[in-house]
Amino acid sequence: MLTPLRPPSLDRRELRLRYLGNRNRSAELFALLDPSVYYERPIALRHPIVFYEGHLPAFSFLKLVREALGRERVDADLERLFERGIDPASLTDAGRHARATWPERRRVQAFGASCDAAVLQALAGAPIDDAALSPLLERAQAAFTILEHEEMHHETLLYMMHRVPLSKKRTRGRSGAFVEREPLATGRVAIPAGIATLGARRDAIAFGWDNEFEESAVSVGAFEIDVNDVTNGEWLEFVRAGGPVPSFWVERDGGYRLLGMFEEMPLPLTWPAYVTSAQARTYAAWRGARLPTEAEYHRAAFGTPDGAERAFPWGDEPPTAKHGNFDFRRFDPEPVGINAAGASAFGVYDLIGNGWEWTSTEFAPLPGFVPMASYPQYSADFFDGQHFIVKGASPVTNRNHVRRSFRNWYRAEYPYVYATFRTVNG
Ligand SMILES: [Fe+2]
């Protein structure tokens, strides 16, 4: 059982500071790129960079100010243009979203400033938690939606920017990510049969996305799990046996190097391998194993030998830098198994941080799912059998999203994301 967090009292100052902090981080991320790539698509299946600079403030404005509070428009054309991103299944589908022209950057930024002003004004004084006015305002849902939306986009932006050629990034002073270290433990641990609690009670957390509700208890059989994520060194053995090469690896002179965020470096053999779900499954099968289910991840992460469940792998203490590689401590991974303070009760490392963890569980609603008023398509559009649940966090996942019920998901073959895995048997 999770101890209910603070009651949902509205701290407007905190919400405004969080919004401003997010806007600053967005500006810092856009500033990492050479302006010449502003209209380019680093990932063919996504919009160009310009879209994201408009989308972040547009979404916040549309959700909170327009839809929830019913206030005036700031620019009907740009609001429509920047309303929503894309996740097409193919390049042909992506072509349907292509546009010949995008607005000038100055116009995008001026539009963003208008959206920000309206959002900040609303956070300061509008009835943003008055459920009688709109279901989007229940427990300040729209306000939290826009904050978490922008925070999630920081990660999306970074894995897109990862694909921008290094010559087009402001890399100066940002190299030196390479580090190798041996893990504190290796091998596997046995997790006994027990109960995993997925999701959360609506009154137990200040905010959650619709796919986090309702709380549901799942009975899980005994299994064995790797204490560490599969490393590049282990994946290299797989490549030598005929396995696929991860998209973050670069072939040079018959060997492999790693493409980091700001530099290409010798392949760090002790770092987690970032691969697709399809690749991870192939590897697991090659080892005579499989990927954990979402419920098995929960058992390994939050379960304890005495049967109680924790809020976080390390206990109930709120997440901080010592617990793992998340919340922008680094832009790149670090060696697996070196954060003793973040290990779970069963001695499993890096369950939060250093890369999302692939599960074999298809993204689907928990029992009692209801699409959220402030963003009804958020999850429902992806219950299609093509997306799989990842748990945990990557180096660039905001600490606000480190909560037990948080569920993220990616397309099985999407090669750009910061996702790793471990294997299980049982
Ligand atoms: Fe978005």
Side-chain angles (χ1 to χ4, degrees):
M1 255 323 229
L2 276 180
T3 330
L5 302 177
R6 59 210 146 107
S9 69
L10 196 66
D11 185 338
R12 290 177 183 271
R13 188 172 164 273
E14 192 183 300
L15 294 176
R16 278 169 57 88
L17 285 176
R18 189 166 156 192
Y19 187 78
L20 287 167
N22 287 346
R23 300 302 293 133
N24 283 338
R25 179 164 279 159
S26 297
E28 282 168 21
L29 298 186
F30 288 114
L32 294 172
L33 295 180
D34 189 288
S36 66
V37 296
Y38 192 59
Y39 295 98
E40 286 177 19
R41 306 165 178 261
I43 294 179
L45 294 174
R46 292 287 181 270
H47 280 313
I49 302 288
V50 51
F51 169 79
Y52 295 91
E53 198 170 38
H55 172 64
L56 294 173
F59 181 95
S60 297
F61 171 78
L62 286 167
K63 286 299 167 196
L64 182 65
V65 184
R66 282 285 302 155
E67 289 177 37
L69 295 165
R71 304 280 162 88
E72 294 300 300
R73 293 195 175 281
V74 295
D75 184 325
D77 288 343
L78 293 188
E79 285 168 34
R80 201 173 315 111
L81 177 62
F82 291 122
E83 187 169 4
R84 218 184 163 202
I86 54 172
D87 171 37
S90 68
L91 279 175
T92 321
D93 287 354
R96 281 189 207 117
H97 299 278
R99 291 175 54 86
T101 57
W102 288 86
E104 236 184 286
R105 188 166 198 174
R106 255 185 316 179
R107 192 173 161 222
V108 176
Q109 291 181 332
F111 166 69
S114 308
C115 292
D116 285 343
V119 170
L120 286 166
Q121 204 182 10
L123 291 176
I128 59 172
D129 60 348
D130 187 346
L133 288 179
S134 160
L136 282 74
L137 298 172
E138 193 179 348
R139 301 181 74 218
Q141 188 190 101
F144 285 106
T145 297
I146 68 171
L147 293 169
E148 293 215 353
H149 172 261
E150 182 151 8
E151 288 159 359
M152 283 193 277
H153 265 292
H154 292 150
E155 175 157 5
T156 315
L157 269 173
L158 280 164
Y159 75 64
M160 277 182 46
M161 288 167 56
H162 210 109
R163 304 292 153 171
V164 171
L166 294 172
S167 63
K168 299 290 186 189
K169 284 190 216 175
R170 305 219 160 112
T171 58
R172 201 191 319 187
R174 296 181 183 277
S175 61
F178 181 85
V179 52
E180 290 271 45
R181 203 173 327 157
E182 290 308 313
L184 296 165
T186 57
R188 282 183 151 185
V189 289
I191 313 287
I195 299 294
T197 305
L198 309 188
R201 289 197 331 271
R202 284 175 202 277
D203 59 357
I205 53 180
F207 171 79
W209 297 93
D210 51 9
N211 64 65
E212 296 173 55
F213 305 115
E214 291 292 327
E215 186 175 279
S216 101
V218 180
S219 178
V220 183
F223 64 100
E224 282 193 349
I225 188 165
D226 300 340
V227 296
N228 293 313
D229 291 314
V230 170
T231 61
N232 287 324
E234 290 167 308
W235 195 276
L236 189 59
E237 294 171 33
F238 183 45
V239 169
R240 289 185 177 137
V245 176
S247 79
F248 290 87
W249 293 19
V250 187
E251 198 167 353
R252 298 261 182 248
D253 309 319
Y256 296 100
R257 290 168 64 80
L258 189 82
L259 179 62
M261 186 62 197
F262 297 108
E263 64 200 302
E264 198 185 292
M265 64 187 89
L267 187 65
L269 298 177
T270 59
W271 290 16
Y274 283 177
V275 296
T276 68
S277 155
Q279 290 169 339
R281 278 165 199 260
T282 318
Y283 176 96
W286 177 68
R287 291 277 196 210
R290 60 178 174 81
L291 298 185
T293 63
E294 179 185 21
E296 285 170 340
Y297 168 93
H298 271 254
R299 285 288 297 148
F302 311 114
T304 60
D306 66 15
E309 285 178 280
R310 296 173 161 182
F312 305 101
W314 52 84
D316 291 330
E317 200 187 315
T320 58
K322 74 171 185 206
H323 294 120
N325 183 17
F326 55 85
D327 201 39
F328 296 83
R329 217 181 68 185
R330 286 164 68 84
F331 284 94
D332 289 301
E334 64 184 9
V336 302
I338 63 171
N339 289 299
S344 79
F346 290 116
V348 183
Y349 288 78
D350 299 312
L351 286 156
I352 304 281
N354 221 19
W356 293 96
E357 308 242 341
W358 283 113
T359 76
S360 61
T361 303
E362 220 175 272
F363 183 50
L366 293 175
F369 170 84
V370 179
M372 61 201 294
S374 61
Y375 198 168
Q377 323 90 324
Y378 174 69
S379 303
D381 278 11
F382 301 93
F383 296 149
D384 56 6
Q386 312 282 310
H387 294 78
F388 289 85
I389 296 201
V390 291
K391 290 286 295 184
S394 88
V396 294
T397 303
N398 195 296
R399 102 170 68 170
N400 292 323
H401 306 175
V402 175
R403 58 177 177 261
R404 195 172 79 186
S405 57
F406 193 91
R407 305 164 90 207
N408 192 7
W409 65 95
Y410 293 121
R411 208 174 266 285
E413 318 265 353
Y414 194 52
Y416 307 113
V417 293
Y418 300 140
T420 183
F421 71 108
R422 64 188 80 223
T423 71
V424 302
N425 279 97

